[in-house]
Amino acid sequence: MEMRLEVVQVPVADVDRAKAFYTEKLGFVLDHDVEHIPGMRVVQLTPPGSAASIVIGTGMTSMVPGSLEGLQLVVPDMDTTRTELLARGAGISEVQDMGGVLFAYFSDPDGNRWVIQGAIPPGIRDAHLQDQA
């Protein structure tokens, strides 16, 4: 059996505002923006380099706008990514070091909360795995 998580719905109140945030502030790629049936608009966006996408829109979910939290974007270089996102106008928190693993946080205009995680260096990953053994 094979399963891949490829699309996650993100509940938003204003689709155009969210679309602008994700494309302009975060650099997500707009895959499509379509209305297949009246009242159901589907906007799919993909983070740069990601195999998974998000979907925002209308008529798709009963989730409350701003209720999603904890989606993680893993980046190879936290400092470079954070600097670029700040330059684009995204409000990113200070970096927190959690035992060698770096995290920063941001919210979209609706309050959906995201996590940016720095890629875990092999030495740290190995140490964490040994702690679990």
Side-chain angles (χ1 to χ4, degrees):
M1 177 173 20
E2 180 179 314
M3 293 184 215
R4 293 186 306 265
L5 178 63
E6 294 189 359
V7 181
V8 175
Q9 287 188 24
V10 176
V12 301
D14 182 324
V15 178
D16 290 319
R17 178 182 69 179
K19 176 181 164 184
F21 173 80
Y22 284 105
T23 57
E24 295 168 16
K25 306 278 187 200
L26 298 182
F28 283 28
V29 175
L30 175 63
D31 299 319
H32 60 260
D33 182 347
V34 296
E35 188 171 1
H36 293 292
I37 59 174
M40 184 177 180
R41 180 177 174 193
V42 179
V43 179
Q44 184 168 326
L45 304 144
T46 302
S50 180
S53 301
I54 64 167
V55 169
I56 59 175
T58 57
M60 298 183 299
T61 183
S62 62
M63 288 188 291
V64 175
S67 64
L68 193 65
E69 63 179 82
L71 289 179
Q72 293 193 8
L73 298 169
V74 178
V75 300
D77 183 334
M78 177 65 82
D79 291 334
T80 299
T81 300
R82 185 171 180 276
T83 298
E84 181 174 339
L85 292 175
L86 287 170
R88 289 172 162 268
I92 309 296
S93 73
E94 294 293 326
V95 175
Q96 295 180 353
D97 187 331
M98 304 286 198
V101 183
L102 305 177
F103 293 95
Y105 308 91
F106 70 90
S107 295
D108 72 10
D110 286 286
N112 293 298
R113 295 182 296 192
W114 290 76
V115 179
I116 300 174
Q117 175 189 323
I120 302 172
I124 303 253
R125 182 177 45 248
D126 294 344
H128 286 189
L129 290 173
Q130 288 175 2
D131 290 343
Q132 295 175 4

